[in-house]
Amino acid sequence: MLWNEWWVWMAAGLVLGIVEILIPGFVFLGFAIGALVIGLCLAIGMPLGGIYLMLVIFAAVSLVAWIALRRIIGVREGQTKIIDRDINN
């Protein structure tokens, strides 16, 4: 089955990483990290079950990565992303 191949997940992670560069915002980066984690797990021979279990793990890893990125790099509570110079331009 094609979806069980590690390179499909790795390619999806790389494509999502490129999309994140083109459209920044941490959303695609979380998906890229999730796909790369699944691809690496499959590459080292870790059994992840069927496609449904892989999709659940992908969603969980993507969500954790997205939350971690927002807390580490993103906007902190009480801050705004709008800067005065952005309004005046």
Side-chain angles (χ1 to χ4, degrees):
M1 186 168 156
L2 181 65
W3 283 103
N4 287 333
E5 299 294 330
W6 65 271
W7 58 269
V8 173
W9 287 98
M10 298 296 278
L14 291 175
V15 167
L16 287 166
I18 291 169
V19 170
E20 175 63 36
I21 292 171
L22 298 174
I23 308 169
F26 298 131
V27 175
F28 294 108
L29 188 58
F31 291 141
I33 291 170
L36 290 173
V37 166
I38 295 291
L40 287 174
C41 288
L42 291 174
I44 62 172
M46 186 180 222
L48 295 179
I51 186 70
Y52 297 115
L53 184 58
M54 279 190 269
L55 290 175
V56 168
I57 294 170
F58 167 72
V61 170
S62 296
L63 180 64
V64 168
W66 184 78
I67 290 171
L69 287 170
R70 293 295 286 181
R71 290 179 84 41
I72 294 169
I73 302 172
V75 177
R76 304 246 187 252
E77 188 176 333
Q79 291 179 335
T80 60
K81 232 177 183 179
I82 300 173
I83 301 172
D84 187 40
R85 66 180 158 83
D86 294 335
I87 296 171
N88 294 328
N89 284 339

